[in-house]
Amino acid sequence: MYFMDDDRSIAETELLLMDYRPMATANRGSSQTNYNTETFTNGLAASQFSGSSTDEDMIDAGETDTAVNIRTHFQDVDREKLYSSSNLVDTLEDLPPGIGQYDDFHTIDWLRDIARDTLRHRQIVKKKHAGFVEWLKGAHDAWSGWMCVLLVGVATGTVAGFVDIGTSWMSDLKEGICRQAFWLNREQCCWSANDTTLDENRCSQWFMWSDLMGVENEAGAYIIRYITYMMFALLFAFLAAIFVRVFAPYACSSGIPEIKTILSGFIIRGYLGKWTFLTKSVGVILSVASGLSLGKEGPFVHIGCCCGNIISHLFPKYGNNEAKKREILSAAAAAGVSVAFGAPIGGVLFSLEEVSYYFPPKTMWRSFFCALAAAFVLRAINPFGNDHLVMFYIDYNEPWYIQELVPFILIGALGGIYGSLFIRFNIKWCRYRKTSVLGKYPIVEVLAVTFITALLSFPNPYTRMNSSELIRELMSRCGPEDNSDLCDYKRNFTSLETYMSSTTAGDGVIRSLWMLALAFIFKGIITIFTIGTKVPAGLFIPSLAIGATLGRIVGIGVEQLVVANHDNPFFYNMCRSQQQCTITPGLYAIVGAAAFLGGVTRMTVSLVVVMFEVTGGLQYIVPLMAAVMTSKWVGDALGKEGIYEAHIQLNGYPYLNSKDEFTHTTIAADVMRPRDNSPFLRRNDPPLCVITQESTTLEEIEHILHDTEHNGFPVVVSRESQYLVGFVLRRDLLLATANARKTIEGVVGESIVYFTDQVPRRVNGPVPLKLRKIMDMAPVTITDQTPMETVVEMFRKLGLRQTVVTHNGRLLGIITKKDVLRHIAQLQNQDPDSILFN
Amino acid sequence: MATFSNRFLVLYIVLSICAINISLVDSSEQTSFEDARCKCICPAYKANVNSTLPKRNVFIKDNIDPELCKCDYMLDKPDPKLCLLCQCKYESRNTTTIKVVVIIVICIISVLFVYMLFLLCLDPLITRRPTHYQEHTNEEVNLDDQSVTRMPLSGGRQRSIINRVTDEQKKWKGVVQEQRRNIYDKHSMLN
């Protein structure tokens, strides 16, 4: 009873954080386990036991061999203690909510979150044998990861099916309507009609708006179609822009830079929320249907991640732990690409290469499964009615020759040049929008861009059609069913094999070459202004379309060159006779598309895999690889970063790029705050704000919290010695003190806050407050002479939020992720203040 | 109670839009759009230089037995030599899925549109009092304070549900306003 009374006087906020109480060796740990479970029914007694055996602790800790040993046993004991203390009425029950969560625009601490999850997991494993219900709970915990990604995959696939069907229907709505079944797009409307006329894919059921109005006159009909096309384009674009503005501003743009930042360990509240999800899904249908030069593939990644975030809340294991949630988000990003291109493997690789930051094998398998589930559901919905997951799926089996590598590499180089020009101008334009008066009129801007796009794209059939359809047409080979200008070759129809080979171009091909050239210039320029407007907009499809256009032009050129010079020894293996050359311009379009997308995004492996999954042609891997690699080389030579990194930098997101190398010789002392004598000194930093472990009062802590904006405070033994004890986060401190004030009786401003193991018994004075549990006892520390190269690696690999700098064992300063980012920006001669947020 | 009746008005409009859609669907129920077809593509071919090209080289028949999806059955005048090079494919689709999805998409867009009009036009009129924007602080921290102050004073269960919805909506509005400030005013994100 003596101890119990004493213990009750210590107001201890029990929190679910790791606490390495130096307490027991292996024997002691196990003996105590028995002790607790068998003897003690009253949790108070257990906690009394663990809280008061100081002297023995010291001895026991001294007896253990390795730190690892200590650590595991401590966790055992700690878990045991949590288990037993669940009987306590006033400790675990009233945990302040939100411990372990983060504020908006904050960086997460991967190590802490992973440790928290390990602790939780061990608890479940331990309890597993306690009964059937506990066993069931354990089983649920074990499979919840797979279950979660399955649900994410199914949700992403379903939404993608909706968006695909909605988009294709709505884009055709600009031109006309299927009168008897308004829900069908033009292709589906004429799907089963045997009277499909050869021009423009029309049939008797499909009505142009001019037909519906009964305009017979050719010129009048054209004008009516022109006007309705523009009206619908403007209407859709307006709806997309206003929905984004009214319901969820975070739904604008492609979202991949932000997803990258979030996955690297950053919190943007509401970015993956329900309204963003809904608005983005609807907005992307509208914005693609408006005919703007943008695609739905980037937004699919964002939509997938929204599904991941929403569904992870069903599983507390993931919903309440930001680091674990990012595993689900990585898988969701893979599912997004999987449904966007019908390329599950490409999706996994995209997640690995481009978006994810932390990608252990377990996450890879989950991503694989998630991408599979998404692709399966989308295939079941069959949105395009062609048994494939993308509109531009092509089945290819044409040969290619080694000489053709020369034009492929040329296309790759052009892709790299275009990519870097695109990035440069797009960033310039976005920066102009950010700083000038243009940024004040987002909806007007969208409408203006739509007006110009619609006005200029209607006359040219290659820009008028949906970008996906354009890509499909450019990538496909000219078969017997194609009667478009693009396939107007002078064929010898008396031979049955005329479609197997290339021949001289007819007038139609020459005409379409001009149109393609105009489409290339137009799309290439308008995309720069479109990406970044405040509507959901991805840049995969426009880049692919631009590249495919150029590729097709080059392809036709090469084809005609070879046909004209078929007896040239250089082309000896490509032609059997003048009518028997086999050059496929469509293959050049595929290579061009890959090269241009590679130039813009600087992806390599995932892009090639996506392209061959889309085309189903394994034999084109070498041409694709050659072009994509050239494109990356040329692009990297002209401008260092891809479009996503450029946008991250423009917005100043705290993204520590794991692909960059840090090649400077600075040391930790140059970067840490406060710094006194470093060459990088720009202003006088206030002295480091610390908390002492057993002499700070609650009032002082509240003052510190009120006066400063630091996100964490080192805890030291005393101000004189500055020996480091641990690190406590601002948010946790805030919650714990507020909670103590509210719930624990007798805690006043003069109460001394203890971060130590024992609280000295006091007869007089206010009730002390014990906050050891919210303190991180194992902050990552470095010495002031540590090279920054190592520090940056630690931040990247361990996902640190901050590290404490010591000198001779004394606390010297602190380095946060933001400091590292600022330092890197400074070394690259950029404005270090452009790094936003915390 | 003004908000309450308006909510019903919104709901009514939404339902009527959906009803119009459904009635449109019912009136145009026809069987001319089949879910399966056979498509044959034959190369254009002239037996000799003087003869003319055939008018068409794509042949589509719907609702055909998959077994019969062959060149011999599809062409009006089958030519065995030509048929060797014809490619026939049996394809299926699901128009019901397309119909349902398109109608759902229209419904969602209509609902959003009506709700947007409500938010932009009616809501400011109803709620008269100016809503000052307050800094979006951390939700968890002052969650309990809000719930205490906003407890309904009297009334039944329905009243409290409405209050809760209104609170939720108010919270959401604050969040959206904060997002708008970040993107459209401060230009700190998503440029």
Side-chain angles (χ1 to χ4, degrees), chain A residues 629-691:
Chain A
M629 208 61 243
T630 320
S631 155
K632 188 174 166 63
W633 281 335
V634 173
D636 282 350
L638 294 174
K640 248 175 70 189
E641 65 227 327
I643 184 82
Y644 301 131
E645 279 84 21
H647 272 270
I648 285 174
Q649 208 165 65
L650 171 73
N651 287 304
Y653 297 137
Y655 180 75
L656 191 56
N657 197 341
S658 51
K659 287 170 199 156
D660 285 351
E661 285 164 30
F662 187 87
T663 50
H664 300 277
T665 52
T666 45
I667 55 170
D670 301 329
V671 183
M672 70 169 197
R673 307 281 295 271
R675 54 207 127 146
D676 20 47
N677 52 0
S678 76
F680 294 93
L681 181 73
R682 290 185 307 118
R683 55 169 177 259
N684 287 322
D685 291 318
L688 194 64
C689 195
V690 295
I691 296 172

Side-chain angles (χ1 to χ4, degrees), chain B residues 35-53:
Chain B
D35 276 2
R37 70 169 176 184
C38 178
K39 184 182 184 185
C40 285
I41 300 165
C42 299
Y45 170 64
K46 286 192 283 194
N48 54 52
V49 184
N50 296 326
S51 61
T52 52
L53 274 176

Side-chain angles (χ1 to χ4, degrees), chain A residues 18-21 24 68-82 115-116 118-119 122-123:
Chain A
M18 266 221 258
D19 182 356
Y20 310 128
R21 197 164 297 228
V68 181
N69 241 331
I70 299 176
R71 213 173 148 127
T72 46
H73 295 312
F74 291 164
Q75 280 176 5
D76 261 316
V77 174
D78 199 50
R79 189 196 61 236
E80 202 51 57
K81 212 166 65 57
L82 284 168
R116 224 153 49 86
T118 315
L119 188 65
R122 289 182 67 105
Q123 243 179 301

Side-chain angles (χ1 to χ4, degrees), chain A residues 703-816:
Chain A
H703 265 294
I704 290 174
L705 287 173
H706 186 260
D707 295 342
T708 63
E709 286 188 333
H710 305 305
N711 289 309
F713 306 94
V715 180
V716 293
V717 173
S718 69
R719 279 185 203 284
E720 294 74 43
S721 70
Q722 297 270 328
Y723 286 125
L724 185 71
V725 176
F727 195 83
V728 62
L729 292 178
R730 176 196 187 84
R731 189 191 154 95
D732 292 348
L733 202 57
L734 207 64
L735 285 168
T737 49
N739 192 53
R741 280 262 192 189
K742 227 186 293 168
T743 55
I744 300 169
E745 242 167 80
V747 169
V748 289
E750 285 80 43
S751 299
I752 296 202
V753 179
Y754 284 95
F755 291 95
T756 46
D757 201 10
Q758 306 77 44
V759 176
R761 260 163 245 157
R762 287 189 181 207
V763 189
N764 324 325
V767 183
L769 180 63
K770 198 174 168 189
L771 290 180
R772 185 187 174 83
K773 288 250 162 166
I774 61 163
M775 180 173 65
D776 183 4
M777 302 279 286
V780 174
T781 47
I782 53 173
T783 63
D784 57 345
Q785 295 301 311
T786 316
M788 269 316 280
E789 211 173 340
T790 316
V791 179
V792 171
E793 272 314 286
M794 281 168 76
F795 271 91
R796 276 182 199 150
K797 297 267 160 67
L798 300 176
L800 297 182
R801 181 186 162 124
Q802 74 279 314
T803 170
V804 183
V805 185
T806 57
H807 179 74
N808 294 344
R810 283 157 196 256
L811 177 66
L812 199 64
I814 194 164
I815 297 179
T816 62

Side-chain angles (χ1 to χ4, degrees), chain A residues 152-392:
Chain A
V152 172
V154 170
T156 312
T158 314
V159 175
F162 273 58
V163 171
D164 282 343
I165 292 175
T167 307
S168 61
W169 172 72
M170 223 177 246
S171 0
D172 283 348
L173 202 61
K174 290 202 299 286
E175 296 186 48
I177 195 164
C178 194
R179 202 166 172 185
Q180 286 173 324
F182 73 90
W183 58 87
L184 294 180
N185 63 17
R186 185 171 56 196
E187 195 189 342
Q188 297 294 328
C189 188
C190 302
W191 194 75
S192 59
N194 203 16
D195 63 339
T196 308
T197 50
L198 299 169
D199 63 311
E200 294 184 13
N201 209 359
R202 286 174 65 184
C203 62
S204 59
Q205 277 98 355
W206 180 257
F207 285 81
M208 297 285 203
W209 292 114
S210 55
D211 302 336
L212 277 180
M213 291 175 192
V215 183
E216 296 290 324
N217 180 357
E218 183 79 17
Y222 187 80
I223 288 169
I224 295 248
R225 289 208 300 263
Y226 208 144
I227 291 170
T228 48
Y229 181 92
M230 289 188 64
M231 299 265 286
F232 272 106
L234 286 170
L235 174 72
F236 294 154
F238 174 73
L239 279 180
I242 196 115
F243 279 175
V244 165
R245 195 187 162 103
V246 170
F247 295 118
Y250 280 178
C252 66
S253 204
S254 98
I256 294 182
E258 286 74 24
I259 299 285
K260 278 183 81 156
T261 314
I262 288 175
L263 284 177
S264 79
F266 190 58
I267 306 277
I268 307 178
R269 283 263 165 80
Y271 195 75
L272 303 173
K274 294 181 215 65
W275 275 99
T276 314
F277 167 71
L278 181 68
T279 313
K280 192 126 196 176
S281 311
V282 173
V284 78
I285 294 178
L286 289 164
S287 63
V288 172
S290 72
L292 283 167
S293 180
L294 45 82
K296 57 185 162 29
E297 276 64 16
F300 269 170
V301 176
H302 186 185
I303 291 171
C305 284
C306 287
C307 289
N309 180 46
I310 293 164
I311 288 171
S312 73
H313 282 297
L314 300 177
F315 301 88
K317 178 180 176 184
Y318 295 100
N320 296 338
N321 193 320
E322 292 291 341
K324 296 290 284 178
K325 193 192 272 173
R326 274 151 185 74
E327 292 178 12
I328 300 291
L329 294 184
S330 289
V337 176
S338 164
V339 292
F341 291 105
I345 311 266
V348 176
L349 287 174
F350 175 80
S351 183
L352 171 68
E353 185 180 357
E354 193 59 38
V355 289
S356 292
Y357 200 75
Y358 169 70
F359 206 80
K362 190 171 74 181
T363 308
M364 188 180 71
W365 296 321
R366 294 232 172 101
S367 305
F368 190 70
F369 179 61
C370 192
L372 162 84
F376 188 81
V377 170
L378 186 62
R379 174 67 186 74
I381 295 175
N382 194 7
F384 300 109
N386 62 357
D387 291 346
H388 293 294
L389 301 177
V390 267
M391 193 182 246
F392 45 89

Side-chain angles (χ1 to χ4, degrees), chain B residues 75-115:
Chain B
L75 267 62
D76 306 328
K77 284 178 284 180
D79 177 354
K81 205 173 161 192
L82 185 65
C83 267
L84 282 178
L85 290 169
C86 281
Q87 285 190 331
C88 288
K89 242 163 91 184
Y90 185 78
E91 292 173 324
S92 62
R93 62 168 177 178
N94 195 344
T95 43
T96 324
T97 318
I98 297 176
K99 183 161 80 180
V100 170
V101 167
V102 166
I103 289 166
I104 291 174
V105 168
I106 295 173
C107 279
I108 293 175
I109 292 177
S110 322
V111 170
L112 282 180
F113 187 72
V114 171
Y115 187 49

Side-chain angles (χ1 to χ4, degrees), chain B residues 58-189:
Chain B
V58 178
F59 303 89
I60 296 172
K61 272 186 189 163
D62 53 16
N63 241 0
I64 192 171
D65 185 0
E67 293 289 310
L68 296 181
C69 186
K70 282 172 192 147
C71 175
D72 307 341
Y73 300 97
M74 293 292 290
L75 267 62
D76 306 328
K77 284 178 284 180
D79 177 354
K81 205 173 161 192
L82 185 65
C83 267
L84 282 178
L85 290 169
C86 281
Q87 285 190 331
C88 288
K89 242 163 91 184
Y90 185 78
E91 292 173 324
S92 62
R93 62 168 177 178
N94 195 344
T95 43
T96 324
T97 318
I98 297 176
K99 183 161 80 180
V100 170
V101 167
V102 166
I103 289 166
I104 291 174
V105 168
I106 295 173
C107 279
I108 293 175
I109 292 177
S110 322
V111 170
L112 282 180
F113 187 72
V114 171
Y115 187 49
M116 183 184 76
L117 289 184
F118 170 77
L119 283 180
L120 292 182
C121 308
L122 285 175
D123 213 30
L125 289 178
I126 294 161
T127 49
R128 285 285 168 199
R129 53 199 163 167
T131 45
H132 287 296
Y133 169 72
Q134 36 179 221
E135 182 76 31
H136 170 72
T137 44
N138 195 359
E139 287 164 30
E140 275 81 356
V141 174
N142 31 16
L143 202 70
D144 37 7
D145 306 338
Q146 285 172 3
S147 59
V148 171
T149 50
R150 282 183 193 168
M151 276 298 246
L153 295 170
S154 62
R157 205 164 122 217
Q158 199 186 18
R159 179 102 187 111
S160 79
I161 288 173
I162 291 169
N163 272 12
R164 212 179 300 157
V165 170
T166 321
D167 280 352
E168 201 62 32
Q169 197 191 23
K170 219 174 260 172
K171 205 171 119 192
W172 172 69
K173 271 186 198 161
V175 170
V176 173
Q177 217 153 352
E178 169 73 14
Q179 293 187 5
R180 239 174 261 158
R181 220 164 53 102
N182 277 342
I183 290 174
Y184 298 112
D185 301 339
K186 288 199 295 187
H187 297 285
S188 61
M189 282 181 71

